[in-house]
Amino acid sequence: MHVRHAIVALALTAAGALHSLPAQDRGAAALGQLVEGLPVAVRVLVIGAHPDDEDTRLITWLTRGHHVDVAYLSLTRGDGGQNLIGDELGDALGVIRTEELLAARRIDGAHQYFTRAYDFGFSKSSAESFQHWPHDSVLEDVVTVVRAFRPQVIVSVFSGTPRDGHGQHQVTGIVAREAYDAAMDTVRFPRSATAGYGAWTPLKFYRARSYFNGEGATFTYNAGELDPVLGKSFTEIAAESRSQHKSQGFGVIARLGAQTGSLAREASRAAGAPADAKRERSIFDGIDTTWRRLLPVVSRPADKTAVGRLLAATIDARRQLSLYNPSTGVPALERAHAALVQLAADAEAAPRSMNGDVLVSVTDGLQRVTRALLMARGITIEATVQRDAVALGDSIPVDVTVYNRGTGRVTLESASAAADRSSGAGSARARLQAAIAPDSSHSDTVYVHGDSISQPWWLATPRRGDMFSVPIDGRSDDVRDADIHVRVALDDGHLVTDVPVVRRYADPVRGAVERPLMVVPAIAVTLDGTVELARANTPLDRNVQVHLISGVTDARDVQVSLTLPSGLHADSSTRTAHLGGFDATATVSFAISGQLTPGQHEIAAVARSGGNTYSIGYVPIEYSHIRPQKLYRRAALTVDAVDAALPPRLDVAYVRGVGDNVAPMLQELGVPLTVLDPAHLATVDLSQFTDLVIGTRAYEAHPELAAANARLLAWVRHGGTMVVQYGQYEMTAPGRLPYPISLSRPAARVTDENAPVRILLPNDPVLTWPNRITSDDWTGWVQERSLYMPSTIDSHYTTPISMNDPGEPANSGAILETRLGAGTYVYTTLSLFRQLPAGNPGASRLFLNLLGVGEAPRAAGTADGAQTPR
């Protein structure tokens, strides 16, 4: 095997592993879908607020059923939601939910876009949401995506009215329609404001009606139709796509048979569309969905001829292709490819003279025809590495292999990092000219250089309020992987394609596994967390562990030191660790002691080796259904020293809930705590514990907990204290709480984290012992106060506080407490699961009071079972 070498630059900003392609993207099914759809050149943009707002049935019906180029624009990445599969919240959850959307798009075949909007949590009105997201900023982002993708049709998932519920949903419906009107307005949004993309005029605007049971629909479609080539209905494929939202518990089973979806046309500029929207037979009535649409908008005679050749070639390919002998489609596919290459070259030479519809249509068409030609010709190209990371500033060899499994001749002409096209480092391109006979392969080696750290691109700079600061550039998130740019010559013409760089290895259980090549620091430095709690003015003895990971191949010694706040000292100023080479790890531990005054204090770590200093590291985000990512952060943590007293004689058992990081925070406050496995609740000896704490939505996540509930309530009656954090509608099940509650639909909540808190029972132990809760303890809360608050509360409960969002009735369902036999039961809907991990001192003091309520002295007016005004 002949091997050549080239040095090329590689900047990885959002690298990800490739999973095995779904059946509809491989073999005859994939080729048949591609070729069947080549005559179609029309685009639809679907707009929602969150990753799970997508209308997967509509998307799949369009992409797989009608070969439409579809994109889903989610205003946010779902950062403010909850997590059913792990502890990640905030930015980390946004990374997971982004990848879940990309996994869904790999199944249904659509593209994926986002704006800069950060999901700050539930809101009740568009006005509230616009306080977090400047109206013009989020609209500008939507206009940028519309101008970049250039859809003929826009579909808003939401109505833009209070009927949508969530304020972020309402905003989505509002800005979707505004973008339909504003995308053509170059005065309000000049080209410079939308990443260089010029004006665009969408032709139709629809709103999805499936969420409203088809009310007001002007068009319906059957997503349950069977595709005989795929062997599935579009609803079945959509269910697979929808089920990728595992962090939200959205796994679904597809129902067979007719599945009706519906849309309502709200605006149209399409000249041939019927004036009465209800007379439409297709959402594309009045729109030419074929390449013929480009004939009037290309000016050069040669380009008009090319469009004509393209029209004929795509129709011929569909007619001539035999899926049992794919080479039958090659001649027509090569003619279509040649026509598209000519149009693309003319567009690149004079982009502003070419209509925007032509630019986007030709780019997409060229990608589709290239994929079809590679499949029909039996050409497979791989780019593999021996390890899945390269240190920043280092190089790594990539083996580029072209397999010719067809009957024609193939020549590998060049290979380079795909990033070269934007960086201009063309001199690194390798000119190979290696002929590859049928049933053979050829490999060459390209050295790629790590130019920038691989990380989720939108997190490269700090967020400004609730908007990410990295501007969107009009590219979809599904095309941001690091690739090798490969050019091959065929019998007639050339193909250019991008091949992802992966490490491939065999896992004994999973089989073949592919992981992306990422650029990492030479030495990554991380601490266990970013926020810790401590009791102020109390002796503190704690170990700080510094974790090191090597990104380089050579062994080296590393010196690690800490920077400590006043009041703390470490048992050593510096420790030395040895890293044995790539992926080697080491952990050094410092014993720190002293005491802190109330407030925030920082502990930071620095590693030094070879004259260089390292102070950042990463937390891997890895789940089997998504591509791996790395979330970078400084090697520093904030210690929030809380002026708090600890109830005496505590021994707490904790059952973790959904996205629940409360247990370690309580331990940092000095609470003796044992985390219990829900599977052991039926047999574990609870008599050793004074308190049992149930995490958020734990009854939903752990069926074993619900099964053991009667045993837990019996333990309370014998003298235990049980503190249950909020759940959803499962908490209304008979016997779930000792006395019933009910929840409205939608459930009440207080989304304003600064909403006033009214004290109903000032002498209640929850508010007085061992820490007196004051107005200061309700400041600094994050995202929300309380959620899924009961609308009716049994009179056996006392309710010491009340709160509400502006303009809404007071709700006293944030804390419910009752004596139960010899014990005490507390149910709280406060968002303590967000507050303690954020280092909130007031919420920490309150939680300690909840743990001590069973042993607290009772003042007059707080008798057992006293009814509280509600």
Side-chain angles (χ1 to χ4, degrees):
M1 180 180 295
H2 186 58
V3 178
R4 302 175 192 264
H5 305 277
I7 302 291
V8 294
L10 183 63
L12 308 182
T13 57
L18 290 181
H19 289 251
S20 296
L21 291 172
Q24 61 264 22
D25 285 329
R26 291 182 282 118
L31 182 57
Q33 280 261 310
L34 276 171
V35 173
E36 184 70 18
L38 288 180
V40 180
V42 69
R43 293 174 296 280
V44 173
L45 178 65
V46 180
I47 304 178
H50 306 103
D52 51 21
D53 292 336
E54 56 185 350
D55 188 335
T56 50
R57 288 195 308 180
L58 172 64
I59 290 172
T60 307
W61 178 75
L62 288 168
T63 56
R64 301 301 185 186
H66 295 271
H67 314 293
V68 176
D69 193 13
V70 179
Y72 175 55
L73 168 59
S74 176
L75 261 61
T76 77
R77 298 174 186 271
D79 331 72
Q82 296 186 33
N83 184 359
L84 290 175
I85 61 174
D87 298 334
E88 298 89 351
L89 295 174
D91 287 340
L93 179 58
V95 172
I96 291 173
R97 299 188 69 182
T98 294
E99 288 296 335
E100 288 179 335
L101 265 184
L102 296 179
R105 297 294 79 83
R106 288 191 289 273
I107 291 171
D108 58 39
H111 303 289
Q112 183 60 53
Y113 290 89
F114 298 92
T115 73
R116 292 171 293 160
Y118 176 78
D119 179 2
F120 56 84
F122 189 85
S123 65
K124 296 179 178 178
S125 68
S126 59
E128 180 185 351
S129 293
F130 279 132
Q131 290 176 0
H132 293 264
W133 302 335
H135 193 144
D136 281 351
S137 296
V138 71
L139 175 58
E140 180 181 289
D141 284 359
V142 177
V143 169
T144 299
V145 172
V146 170
R147 289 181 174 182
F149 186 62
R150 299 188 176 269
Q152 281 72 36
V153 176
I154 294 176
V155 178
S156 173
V157 174
F158 297 108
S159 68
T161 69
R163 189 175 186 182
D164 296 327
H166 198 322
Q168 295 180 10
H169 293 172
Q170 297 176 43
V171 164
T172 301
I174 292 169
V175 297
R177 175 55 197 267
E178 290 177 341
Y180 171 80
D181 295 321
M184 68 182 81
D185 187 346
T186 56
V187 175
R188 184 178 181 186
F189 294 104
R191 183 187 291 264
S192 60
T194 55
Y197 296 99
W200 176 246
T201 304
L203 297 178
K204 289 188 178 183
F205 183 86
Y206 290 83
R207 295 195 189 273
R209 308 308 298 173
S210 299
Y211 287 142
F212 301 112
N213 298 316
E215 179 184 329
T218 61
F219 174 76
T220 60
Y221 60 92
N222 176 22
E225 182 183 353
L226 177 69
D227 186 303
V229 175
L230 301 179
K232 297 178 181 179
S233 70
F234 307 122
T235 298
E236 289 177 275
I237 299 171
E240 294 177 30
S241 173
R242 186 72 169 166
S243 295
Q244 300 310 302
H245 295 285
K246 300 183 190 302
S247 69
Q248 306 305 297
F250 279 176
V252 295
I253 298 176
R255 291 179 295 172
L256 302 184
Q259 299 292 317
T260 301
S262 56
L263 300 171
R265 195 184 85 187
E266 187 172 297
S268 175
R269 303 185 184 100
D276 183 356
K278 292 184 177 181
R279 297 183 60 190
E280 283 193 330
R281 303 186 63 180
S282 164
I283 64 172
F284 301 113
D285 280 0
I287 300 173
D288 189 339
T289 63
T290 73
W291 296 102
R292 187 176 291 105
R293 185 182 70 251
L294 305 187
L295 282 170
V297 293
V298 293
S299 56
R300 297 176 66 245
D303 291 336
K304 291 185 181 291
T305 301
V307 172
R309 294 201 312 270
L310 176 60
L311 267 167
T314 54
I315 294 171
D316 287 347
R318 187 160 59 177
R319 184 177 66 249
Q320 295 168 2
L321 175 69
S322 166
L323 296 182
Y324 290 100
N325 181 13
S327 63
T328 54
V330 167
L333 289 173
E334 288 184 336
R335 293 198 303 274
H337 184 265
L340 285 164
V341 167
Q342 177 184 325
L343 290 168
D346 290 346
E348 185 175 354
R352 298 210 176 188
S353 67
M354 189 76 77
N355 178 278
D357 188 10
V358 178
L359 290 169
V360 178
S361 298
V362 167
T363 299
D364 174 70
L366 190 55
Q367 292 173 348
R368 288 188 288 151
V369 169
T370 298
R371 284 185 59 205
L373 260 176
L374 289 170
M375 290 181 185
R377 290 289 303 257
I379 299 170
T380 301
I381 307 173
E382 296 179 341
T384 58
V385 286
Q386 293 300 308
R387 61 182 195 273
D388 54 20
V390 58
L392 181 66
D394 281 358
S395 298
I396 187 171
V398 179
D399 292 325
V400 180
T401 304
V402 178
Y403 297 89
N404 183 2
R405 300 189 289 181
T407 57
R409 294 187 63 82
V410 179
T411 300
L412 174 58
E413 291 191 330
S414 66
S416 64
D420 286 354
R421 289 173 293 164
S422 59
S423 66
S427 61
R429 187 180 301 273
R431 298 290 180 180
L432 305 171
Q433 296 298 332
I436 308 167
D439 292 323
S440 63
S441 64
H442 178 84
S443 293
D444 278 277
T445 299
V446 174
Y447 279 80
V448 299
H449 189 265
D451 280 348
S452 61
I453 293 293
S454 304
Q455 63 179 320
W457 64 269
W458 62 96
L459 298 177
T461 58
R463 192 173 70 243
R464 298 191 191 106
D466 289 318
M467 296 288 287
F468 292 109
S469 60
V470 180
I472 64 171
D473 58 10
R475 290 187 299 160
S476 63
D477 270 48
D478 48 301
V479 297
R480 293 177 184 266
D481 291 340
D483 298 323
I484 294 294
H485 194 53
V486 178
R487 177 183 171 95
V488 296
L490 308 179
D491 296 325
D492 183 17
H494 306 268
L495 287 182
V496 176
T497 188
D498 293 336
V499 183
V501 181
V502 298
R503 175 197 171 208
R504 182 178 293 114
Y505 66 95
D507 180 273
V509 176
R510 298 168 60 193
V513 176
E514 292 184 348
R515 294 183 62 86
L517 174 65
M518 293 188 177
V519 179
V520 298
I523 297 174
V525 188
T526 55
L527 305 183
D528 286 327
T530 58
V531 176
E532 290 188 2
L533 292 172
R535 283 186 292 144
N537 301 318
T538 302
L540 174 67
D541 292 290
R542 192 169 292 182
N543 285 327
V544 174
Q545 293 189 323
V546 184
H547 306 285
L548 309 173
I549 304 177
S550 174
V552 295
T553 55
D554 59 305
R556 58 176 64 190
D557 289 329
V558 183
Q559 290 74 44
V560 182
S561 60
L562 292 183
T563 301
L564 298 175
S566 176
L568 296 183
H569 60 272
D571 60 344
S572 175
S573 61
T574 303
R575 296 198 187 281
T576 300
H578 180 76
L579 292 175
F582 175 74
D583 221 21
T585 61
T587 298
V588 297
S589 183
F590 294 85
I592 63 171
S593 57
Q595 61 182 30
L596 296 170
T597 58
Q600 292 188 336
H601 309 269
E602 184 179 82
I603 298 174
V606 173
R608 294 178 175 85
S609 181
N612 295 313
T613 299
Y614 306 94
S615 59
I616 65 167
Y618 56 82
V619 176
I621 297 179
E622 300 202 16
Y623 291 93
S624 60
H625 67 297
I626 60 175
R627 306 177 304 176
Q629 282 281 16
K630 298 185 190 305
L631 196 63
Y632 279 83
R633 66 191 191 198
R634 284 182 60 226
L637 64 88
T638 298
V639 180
D640 284 277
V642 183
D643 187 5
L646 199 64
R649 299 181 298 278
L650 281 181
D651 197 344
V652 176
Y654 197 104
V655 178
R656 298 181 66 184
V658 172
D660 187 356
N661 295 304
V662 169
M665 311 308 289
L666 292 175
Q667 289 174 314
E668 289 165 4
L669 291 170
V671 175
L673 184 146
T674 302
V675 175
L676 296 183
D677 186 334
H680 299 159
L681 288 174
T683 57
V684 68
D685 179 11
L686 295 174
S687 65
Q688 60 187 303
F689 302 111
T690 61
D691 293 71
L692 174 62
V693 179
I694 307 298
T696 55
R697 297 174 64 182
Y699 283 94
E700 175 187 356
H702 307 302
E704 310 96 324
L705 173 60
N709 197 53
R711 181 174 188 256
L712 304 183
L713 294 179
W715 171 80
V716 176
R717 290 188 178 93
H718 284 87
T721 297
M722 187 171 177
V723 179
V724 179
Q725 298 174 71
Y726 99 94
Q728 297 186 350
Y729 294 97
E730 71 277 5
M731 304 310 294
T732 63
R736 187 58 46 83
L737 272 67
Y739 304 107
I741 61 171
S742 68
L743 276 72
S744 59
R745 290 183 181 270
R749 60 174 80 198
V750 177
T751 61
D752 182 353
E753 63 269 31
N754 299 310
V757 176
R758 290 174 293 278
I759 305 303
L760 303 180
L761 294 175
N763 295 323
D764 193 280
V766 165
L767 304 176
T768 60
W769 192 85
N771 303 288
R772 180 164 291 278
I773 303 301
T774 71
S775 58
D776 289 342
D777 292 301
W778 300 107
T779 62
W781 284 52
V782 297
Q783 188 159 321
E784 60 209 350
R785 284 251 193 250
S786 188
L787 54 171
Y788 287 86
M789 304 173 77
S791 54
T792 63
I793 303 170
D794 188 270
S795 62
H796 285 85
Y797 294 106
T798 59
T799 55
I801 62 174
S802 173
M803 59 183 67
N804 57 273
D805 276 329
E808 296 189 354
N811 190 307
S812 57
I815 300 176
L816 283 60
E817 56 173 308
T818 185
R819 297 291 288 184
L820 191 62
T824 303
Y825 183 96
V826 177
Y827 180 66
T828 178
T829 61
L830 292 170
S831 62
L832 299 172
F833 75 103
R834 294 195 192 277
Q835 310 310 320
L836 267 70
N840 185 305
S844 302
R845 286 160 45 84
L846 179 62
F847 209 120
L848 293 178
N849 285 11
L850 295 177
L851 296 177
V853 69
E855 299 298 322
R858 295 265 165 178
T862 60
D864 298 350
Q867 185 172 359
T868 301
R870 285 188 280 275

